[in-house]
Amino acid sequence: MPTYRHCRTFTIASMLVTAVILAAGCARLPVSGALPVGVAVARVTKVEAASPFAWDPGGTKIALVSGSFAIHDPDADNSLPLGAVPSAVAWSPDGDHLAAAFPHDKDATLRIFNTRGALLSEADISGHVTKLAWRSEDELLVAAVTIDQLSFGADIKGVLYRWKGIGKPAATTLTETTVRPFIARWPLETLYHTFTFALSPLGDEIVYTRLQDPPAFSPYVKICIRNLGSGAEQEAAIAAVTSAGAVYSADGERILYGDGANASHWLDPWMGKELATFPTPGRTIALSPGNRYALIDGRLYRDGKEMVSFPATSEGAFAPAGGRLLLRYGGNLYMISGLSEPETDKKVPAGSERLLTLRKWRSEGLISVPDYQSARERMPLQ
Amino acid sequence: MKILIARLTLFAITTLSLSHQAAAEDCIPCHREKTPAAVRQWETSAHARAKIGCEKCHGSNHDKIVKGEAKVDMKVCGPCHQKALREHKASRHGMGLHSGWGCTRNLTNRDPGECRFCHEEGSSAPLSGVQCARFLKQTSEMGEIGCNYCHNVESSCASCHTNHNTSLAIVRDPNSCAKCHMGPDHPQWEMWQTSLHGTLNATAGISTGPTCQTCHMQQGSHNVSVGITMSSGGVPYPSKQAEPARKEMLQVCGQCHAPEFARKELARGDAVRSQSLAIVKEAEKIIWDLYDHGLLDPMPDQRPDHPLSGKKLVTDNQMLYEDTSHIERLLFKMKKYDYARTIKGAYHQNPAYTHWYGNAELKMDLVDIKAEASRLRERGKTPAAGKAGNGSASEEETLRALKSKVERGAMSEEEYAAEKKKVLERLK
């Protein structure tokens, strides 16, 4: 169980390094180790610190915040401004729509734009949005955190909204915790960070973080898997509150999560089996589409081996089409290109409807994990 | 002065003359006025003749008595009536409260799963306030008169003997039993009355026509369960337990009848019982199948919680007749009324109760249950018509039904694995 002290030490150290580099006014991305042949780093543009950014599925446009929220074309080096600063952004799977969450007071407005910047739809929700993900072309998933300060602490609620782009988003509370006063006084960003999720590549499950604050122990998060079809949940792991949570493997069968203190772990959550570890706590995690590359706390791994490292506080996003990585560090956005990935790494079984059914049944215990595995193995790959 | 002496003498004579009855009781003068019936009954009782006064049973704390906190229950009677208490405790009457709203662990042939009604799994500590489901659904007033007035037979001797009267004539009369053993669920009193035993009793007297007590309380025994071969819910005892009980009953019957005649009579009752139980089980199976397919209307999760089992379907002794589906209410009537009347009618040699009030109703219940099941299944198809081509939805329903069966022990793990394999192979 990672301790709060570990997390705090790591965070302070990272902040000191960051402060030194920022003080130097450096616009060049610090790199430790030699970049492999064919891999290049280039600065894309200036961005707001801690602001969201996202590749479009084709890997040609980037939603980012540079002064204002905009769709940026790195090849043409031009931007289409969209207005206020969002807390989260996400492109639809076909790249035709861009969703963004704009905070106001304790709440947020969800907006959907087309690629020309026209506003197509909007809806108000309660809470601060920490994550957006499109489940399909028609359904947006939203993680929002509400914090009610109380005389004896605070009530922190994590709500998952499902929005079809019209009408009122449907809300499901996934986590609600009353925390002690000293936790209630943490910075808001830290409290918001306790609830986030990742969507499985098949769009049927999420893996999310659930804050726990047991008396006499350090607070921590549970990493839980929820099948969106059945609503059935299972706890997969626990981690420090500084964990980035988890992301899914390309086939949706494994998760990579950071314990927030010591290491990051590849886990088969259904068998409860740890498959591999990385010696870094996993406070920021990004995976390439075929899983060959992983960026964890600024360290870039290829096939499980560290290639090169960037500052630990840098955050990254791989292009959905593969080959490139966006990395935000120190108020700048960088692109790392030349990250080739074999197509075979992205294969999943054909007949996704059948696979989704099997996964739903597994989540509800209607079939056992060996039943599922055996049925899945009989399905051809696409 | 002479008048004063005369008055004092008269008072002394009166006091002395009463002392042999009142045994120095202070209660009588006042209670002769306040509760005259109680005093009159006591004065003519065996207790009065034995100089057992008010304080012996009621205690001397008048405040407690007035508040109803000094109940005269079997703990008070037991020390003097030890044999009766022993026999009573060994009988089904001695478990009256248990079967109503207490622990059932001492009842024979009970489903161990029933422990969940009162205990957390693995704990022997009772959950607070957990009692009989049907009792818990009542208002306190209804529970008092409708439940406790009969089920308090466990702890209250007065339930049969009345409060102050010790006349054996009262408790040897079948009317004493009728208070509880009548009505739609177990009309033994009516069955006896209209049987040949009852007719002979009414016409030729007790020497020819036996009463309830003749057969069930032989020689004044307080063990009313001698010779019984099934649970109060009509579930036959295992042979190890049933065989000695049958011998006991044959001995009772043999006091008037030839042994072979008695054996055949009781064996015929056994046959009627097993045939009737099969009909009930068939109906119960239909209801569980509907439940497995989510077709009960309403399903347990769509109605007020069962007081003991929450949102689970209950068809055992704790099943309810309210806040349930129509088809379950039919099963309730079938089990609680018609099955009970059939088998108890057969053992009490009452043809009309066995057939028309019992078995015929039982069979008609099954017709009703099957018809209602068809209606529910037909209706269940309607909303699913649109997904007729959706194989996974129906396969999921099959899987849920299988899982439900294996969870309640209606299917073995091996059968479950085989059926599940078929479903997975069918999934396209």
Side-chain angles (χ1 to χ4, degrees):
Chain A
M1 177 66 198
T3 63
Y4 179 65
R5 181 178 292 179
H6 277 113
C7 306
R8 196 177 54 185
T9 310
F10 184 90
T11 307
I12 291 168
S14 302
M15 286 170 70
L16 281 172
V17 171
T18 308
V20 168
I21 293 165
L22 284 175
C26 182
R28 196 171 63 83
L29 178 65
V31 181
S32 287
L35 286 169
V37 177
V39 176
V41 178
R43 180 175 173 272
V44 177
T45 184
K46 186 173 178 293
V47 290
E48 306 304 311
S51 64
F53 58 95
W55 282 107
D56 82 324
T60 57
K61 291 187 283 288
I62 304 163
L64 49 76
V65 182
S66 182
S68 67
F69 179 40
I71 297 174
H72 181 76
D73 183 339
D75 294 334
D77 195 23
N78 61 28
S79 288
L80 175 66
L82 297 173
V85 176
S87 62
V89 296
W91 288 94
S92 64
D94 59 6
D96 287 347
H97 301 123
L98 173 65
F102 299 91
H104 52 83
D105 298 328
K106 290 181 173 180
D107 300 323
T109 299
L110 303 174
R111 292 197 178 107
I112 296 175
F113 302 92
N114 66 15
T115 50
R116 292 186 300 278
L119 177 63
L120 302 179
S121 186
E122 70 175 11
D124 288 333
I125 58 166
S126 295
H128 178 87
V129 174
T130 60
K131 176 86 183 201
L132 294 175
W134 289 81
R135 193 181 175 201
S136 65
E137 312 298 345
D138 306 319
E139 186 178 3
L140 183 69
L141 300 181
V142 183
V145 180
T146 62
I147 301 169
D148 287 329
Q149 293 290 346
L150 309 165
S151 60
F152 48 85
D155 183 65
I156 301 179
K157 196 189 285 182
V159 181
L160 180 73
Y161 288 94
R162 294 167 73 161
W163 189 38
K164 299 277 188 187
I166 50 168
K168 198 177 169 189
T172 307
T173 300
L174 296 189
T175 168
E176 184 166 10
T177 313
T178 302
V179 297
R180 289 165 288 176
F182 80 93
I183 298 167
R185 288 192 291 271
W186 283 0
L188 277 178
E189 285 306 321
T190 308
L191 295 177
Y192 291 149
H193 182 74
T194 58
F195 179 60
T196 186
F197 75 91
L199 180 66
S200 85
L202 288 89
D204 62 333
E205 282 179 357
I206 57 169
V207 56
Y208 73 94
T209 49
R210 184 192 291 164
L211 176 63
Q212 305 287 308
D213 182 26
F217 290 93
S218 298
Y220 66 98
V221 291
K222 284 183 177 176
I223 293 178
C224 302
I225 290 177
R226 179 185 178 89
N227 186 287
L228 296 169
S230 66
E233 293 198 350
Q234 122 156 358
E235 288 176 18
I238 59 169
V241 291
T242 47
S243 162
V247 291
Y248 274 96
S249 62
D251 62 2
E253 297 298 325
R254 292 163 292 138
I255 59 169
L256 173 63
Y257 77 94
D259 66 23
N262 299 309
S264 300
H265 312 260
W266 268 118
L267 182 76
D268 178 339
W270 297 100
M271 297 298 284
K273 189 176 168 188
E274 187 161 299
L275 306 167
T277 57
F278 299 94
T280 186
R283 290 165 193 168
T284 65
I285 295 181
L287 262 182
S288 67
N291 299 170
R292 165 168 271 197
Y293 297 95
L295 179 75
I296 311 174
D297 302 320
R299 300 182 187 189
L300 184 61
Y301 294 88
R302 184 172 69 184
D303 298 327
K305 288 180 185 159
E306 188 174 333
M307 287 169 60
V308 66
S309 71
F310 310 106
T313 53
S314 53
E315 287 199 42
F318 286 90
R324 290 186 291 178
L325 166 67
L326 277 180
L327 202 139
R328 189 197 66 214
Y329 171 70
N332 287 293
L333 197 63
Y334 300 91
M335 187 185 297
I336 291 103
S337 55
L339 304 172
S340 60
E341 195 161 36
E343 278 297 310
T344 50
D345 289 356
K346 302 175 197 170
K347 297 252 181 204
V348 292
S352 65
E353 276 303 315
R354 186 178 171 209
L355 186 62
L356 294 180
T357 301
L358 289 169
R359 285 164 64 92
K360 179 169 178 275
W361 289 355
R362 177 182 62 178
S363 75
E364 293 181 272
L366 291 175
I367 57 172
S368 65
V369 175
D371 287 336
Y372 169 79
Q373 286 170 337
S374 157
R376 190 179 186 279
E377 278 164 15
R378 290 198 300 273
M379 296 173 74
L381 294 176
Q382 67 179 9
Chain B
M1 186 64 182
K2 279 181 186 175
I3 292 169
L4 180 63
I5 292 167
R7 279 182 180 168
L8 282 171
T9 308
L10 182 63
F11 176 75
I13 291 167
T14 309
T15 306
L16 282 171
S17 69
L18 285 173
S19 64
H20 79 281
Q21 283 184 18
E25 292 285 348
D26 296 329
C27 318
I28 297 299
C30 193
H31 276 272
R32 196 182 296 287
E33 199 176 303
K34 303 275 185 194
T35 57
V39 172
R40 269 202 309 276
Q41 285 169 19
W42 172 79
E43 282 174 340
T44 58
S45 73
H47 282 157
R49 288 194 294 280
K51 299 188 172 30
I52 309 296
C54 309
E55 193 178 316
K56 181 78 176 169
C57 299
H58 291 284
S60 54
N61 188 331
H62 197 262
D63 282 347
K64 275 181 85 173
I65 297 169
V66 170
K67 286 180 192 167
E69 293 170 359
K71 287 206 166 101
V72 182
D73 57 17
M74 67 177 181
K75 285 181 201 151
V76 175
C77 311
C80 297
H81 300 277
Q82 289 184 21
K83 177 173 175 288
L85 179 64
R86 234 182 359 259
E87 291 166 348
H88 172 77
K89 277 187 163 177
S91 80
R92 201 165 285 168
H93 274 174
M95 298 166 184
L97 285 180
H98 289 143
S99 58
W101 41 277
C103 183
T104 59
R105 76 171 69 89
N106 294 324
L107 290 182
T108 49
N109 203 28
R110 281 295 164 122
D111 176 0
E114 280 191 6
C115 299
R116 75 183 193 280
F117 298 146
C118 302
H119 300 279
E120 293 274 16
E121 198 170 318
S123 167
S124 59
L127 295 167
S128 60
V130 173
Q131 298 172 331
C132 162
R134 288 191 290 277
F135 175 83
L136 287 169
K137 293 293 280 187
Q138 312 294 348
T139 60
S140 57
E141 294 81 6
M142 187 60 207
E144 185 63 25
I145 175 75
C147 303
N148 290 349
Y149 262 45
C150 283
H151 287 281
N152 71 359
V153 69
E154 175 183 334
S155 60
S156 170
C157 303
S159 179
C160 300
H161 288 277
T162 75
N163 285 330
H164 295 92
N165 205 321
T166 57
S167 168
L168 293 178
I170 293 171
V171 287
R172 284 175 181 166
D173 191 303
N175 279 292
S176 292
C177 314
K179 181 181 82 177
C180 300
H181 293 274
M182 55 86 70
D185 57 339
H186 47 37
Q188 293 101 327
W189 181 63
E190 295 98 318
M191 286 171 182
W192 165 80
Q193 266 195 325
T194 52
S195 73
L196 202 53
H197 283 164
T199 307
L200 287 170
N201 181 272
T203 54
I206 195 165
S207 60
T208 312
T211 61
C212 312
Q213 291 80 354
T214 311
C215 301
H216 294 294
M217 301 182 80
Q218 284 257 305
Q219 288 145 10
S221 169
H222 281 65
N223 186 345
V224 293
S225 302
V226 168
I228 304 289
T229 57
M230 60 188 177
S231 73
S232 55
V235 180
Y237 288 161
S239 57
K240 193 179 169 188
Q241 194 181 354
E243 280 167 13
R246 176 52 49 86
K247 279 183 188 162
E248 289 170 350
M249 187 53 81
L250 284 170
Q251 206 169 11
V252 171
C253 302
Q255 291 175 19
C256 300
H257 299 289
E260 187 57 16
F261 171 82
R263 193 193 62 73
K264 280 186 181 168
E265 284 285 315
L266 294 174
R268 188 183 58 210
D270 294 343
V272 168
R273 184 176 67 189
S274 62
Q275 290 156 14
S276 303
L277 192 57
I279 297 171
V280 173
K281 289 289 168 198
E282 187 180 347
E284 203 166 343
K285 199 175 164 199
I286 290 169
I287 287 171
W288 275 98
D289 187 62
L290 291 167
Y291 170 75
D292 289 341
H293 291 90
L295 293 175
L296 294 176
D297 180 21
M299 284 289 283
D301 61 356
Q302 296 162 341
R303 60 201 195 203
D305 281 3
H306 184 280
L308 304 174
S309 302
K311 300 195 182 305
K312 291 180 186 167
L313 176 65
V314 175
T315 58
D316 59 20
N317 283 356
Q318 296 285 353
M319 81 178 293
L320 298 173
Y321 53 77
E322 59 185 307
D323 287 335
T324 186
S325 65
H326 178 62
I327 198 164
E328 288 168 77
R329 166 251 180 279
L330 291 175
L331 178 68
F332 181 88
K333 175 185 176 287
M334 187 185 205
K335 282 181 81 166
K336 188 76 176 163
Y337 296 176
D338 303 327
Y339 173 64
R341 286 197 291 237
T342 307
I343 59 173
K344 291 176 198 295
Y347 287 120
H348 285 92
Q349 293 80 41
N350 188 306
Y353 268 96
T354 308
H355 184 197
W356 293 114
Y357 289 126
N359 196 247
E361 287 287 337
L362 199 64
K363 288 171 178 166
M364 289 192 282
D365 292 335
L366 185 60
V367 170
D368 289 348
I369 284 172
K370 283 182 175 172
E372 174 68 357
S374 294
R375 190 184 73 79
L376 290 169
R377 288 197 186 103
E378 192 60 33
R379 199 178 67 166
K381 279 183 195 166
T382 312
K387 57 178 182 183
N390 187 350
S392 69
S394 65
E395 300 300 2
E396 182 170 320
E397 193 179 288
T398 307
L399 274 178
R400 283 188 199 288
L402 290 171
K403 192 183 177 203
S404 177
K405 273 186 183 169
V406 79
E407 280 175 355
R408 67 171 190 270
M411 178 181 259
S412 70
E413 287 289 348
E414 291 73 24
E415 289 169 321
Y416 177 52
E419 291 299 319
K420 200 167 53 171
K421 193 176 170 193
K422 285 182 203 166
V423 173
L424 286 170
E425 280 167 5
R426 283 199 299 267
L427 181 66
K428 296 277 183 259

